[in-house]
Amino acid sequence: MTLFGKKANAARELDEKLERIQMNFENNYKDAAQLNLKEFESLLGTFLEEGKLSEKQKAYYERQLADCEARLENFTHKDQKPTWVP
């Protein structure tokens, strides 16, 4: 998905993290999805501090972060309710 034409390395790295989050979410890999979300958030913060993203990219990735956080809010093993009966 090319959103900004020829992407910079920073945008490419963020896209890779988003793809990993999505794959782990779809495969129900809860711990991995949460870990990738933390990595994405950290990487985004670093790139924002270093000024490696344009304003358009900044808005896009911040929106993606908020969406991922909302989707993964209760997506952990500890919040999983057992549905089987012994």
Side-chain angles (χ1 to χ4, degrees), residues 8-23:
N9 287 337
R12 192 172 308 123
E13 286 184 53
L14 291 170
D15 285 340
E16 288 173 4
K17 290 290 180 194
L18 285 173
E19 288 175 21
R20 282 197 178 131
I21 292 169
Q22 181 64 29
M23 285 189 301

Side-chain angles (χ1 to χ4, degrees), residues 2 11 18 23-25 27 29 32-33 43-44 52 61-63 73 78:
T2 303
L18 285 173
M23 285 189 301
N24 288 324
F25 182 80
N27 290 319
Y29 297 151
L43 194 59
L44 179 60
K52 290 188 174 184
Y61 288 114
E62 287 176 340
R63 202 169 42 251
E73 187 174 341
K78 69 177 182 163

Side-chain angles (χ1 to χ4, degrees), residues 13-61:
E13 286 184 53
L14 291 170
D15 285 340
E16 288 173 4
K17 290 290 180 194
L18 285 173
E19 288 175 21
R20 282 197 178 131
I21 292 169
Q22 181 64 29
M23 285 189 301
N24 288 324
F25 182 80
E26 289 173 358
N27 290 319
N28 205 27
Y29 297 151
K30 297 176 181 191
D31 294 336
Q34 293 290 347
L35 177 64
N36 290 142
L37 178 62
K38 288 182 190 331
E39 291 171 351
F40 176 78
E41 187 174 14
S42 174
L43 194 59
L44 179 60
T46 300
F47 290 153
L48 290 175
E49 286 177 15
E50 295 174 358
K52 290 188 174 184
L53 299 173
S54 70
E55 286 301 314
K56 197 173 189 181
Q57 290 171 322
K58 177 182 171 184
Y60 172 76
Y61 288 114

